[in-house]
Amino acid sequence: MMRDLIIIIFTAMLVNNYVLVRFLGICPFLGVSKKLHSAVGMGLAVTFVMLLATAATWPIQTYLLTAFRLEYLQTIVFILIIAALVQLVEIILKRHIPALHRSLGIYLPLITTNCAVLGVAKNNISEGYATFIEAMANALGCGLGFLLAMVLFAGVRMRIETAKPPKCFEGMPITLISASIVALAFYGFAGVIDNMFL
């Protein structure tokens, strides 16, 4: 059981990384990764929201929507739940960590429409995680993968600022090229996780 949970976490974090492999949550990935402090803060906030969203949506899907054949309401219900959770996170950050709240700026409310958070909630159901613990392990792995991608790319962007690329690559072009190279590195993890726990 514990081995299966570890595999779920590492697979979600490295092999199926929501930002670098599935390309979900690109907006905050590109927008908040300029500074390490902001990248870590956003990564932790998204991880927290992913865990809360899974804790709320998995039981609602299992015991309400599926039980009463209301699966067609899944997306609407999940978006409403995620929006409420993001408001809660924003209130907590504003009250207890105002500096982080200011540095995240507009990107914090954008977690509501962050497709990575909605993707985790929906994929927990579609990928067939049969238990609440498995769904939470997947959400944790996805959140840690998002945090890892943010931190790695913040480091890459700090190096880019000191480099002198050709004039036509300055700004967003070199950022997108760097993001694609980091994403390619994550494709190397495919197959590693399965063989790691033989």
Side-chain angles (χ1 to χ4, degrees):
M1 178 68 176
M2 190 61 168
R3 177 181 173 273
D4 293 339
L5 295 178
I6 292 171
I7 290 172
I8 289 170
I9 291 170
F10 277 99
T11 299
M13 191 170 135
L14 300 173
V15 178
N16 294 324
N17 187 289
Y18 268 58
V19 178
L20 298 172
V21 176
R22 294 189 177 194
F23 304 111
L24 298 172
I26 295 294
C27 179
F29 174 69
L30 293 175
V32 187
S33 59
K34 288 181 181 176
K35 295 181 181 173
L36 183 61
H37 176 67
S38 299
V40 170
M42 177 59 92
L44 290 173
V46 168
T47 302
F48 184 65
V49 171
M50 283 181 177
L51 286 167
L52 283 179
T54 297
T57 57
W58 192 89
I60 287 172
Q61 175 70 37
T62 304
Y63 300 116
L64 183 65
L65 299 179
T66 303
F68 293 102
R69 299 177 189 240
L70 299 171
E71 291 94 348
Y72 60 91
L73 294 174
Q74 181 190 66
T75 302
I76 295 169
V77 170
F78 284 12
I79 287 173
L80 291 173
I81 290 169
I82 291 166
L85 292 173
V86 170
Q87 288 295 341
L88 175 70
V89 169
E90 187 171 9
I91 290 168
I92 290 170
L93 286 179
K94 192 173 186 177
R95 182 171 294 165
H96 298 290
I97 314 173
L100 179 58
H101 181 266
R102 280 191 303 275
S103 71
L104 294 177
I106 188 66
Y107 293 100
L108 188 57
L110 286 178
I111 295 175
T112 302
T113 57
N114 187 340
C115 52
V117 177
L118 181 61
V120 169
K122 289 180 71 71
N123 286 336
N124 280 332
I125 308 304
S126 66
E127 291 176 5
Y129 291 112
T131 66
F132 180 75
I133 300 296
E134 287 178 352
M136 290 298 289
N138 183 56
L140 177 63
C142 292
L144 291 175
F146 187 88
L147 175 63
L148 176 65
M150 293 290 289
V151 169
L152 285 175
F153 200 58
V156 169
R157 287 187 82 170
M158 287 192 300
R159 293 293 300 263
I160 289 172
E161 286 180 11
T162 61
K164 292 186 179 179
K167 192 85 170 153
C168 62
F169 287 114
E170 287 180 356
M172 192 53 73
I174 193 69
T175 301
L176 293 174
I177 291 169
S178 302
S180 65
I181 292 170
V182 173
L184 280 173
F186 271 72
Y187 277 102
F189 289 116
V192 171
I193 301 300
D194 293 334
N195 296 324
M196 214 163 91
F197 294 100
L198 288 178

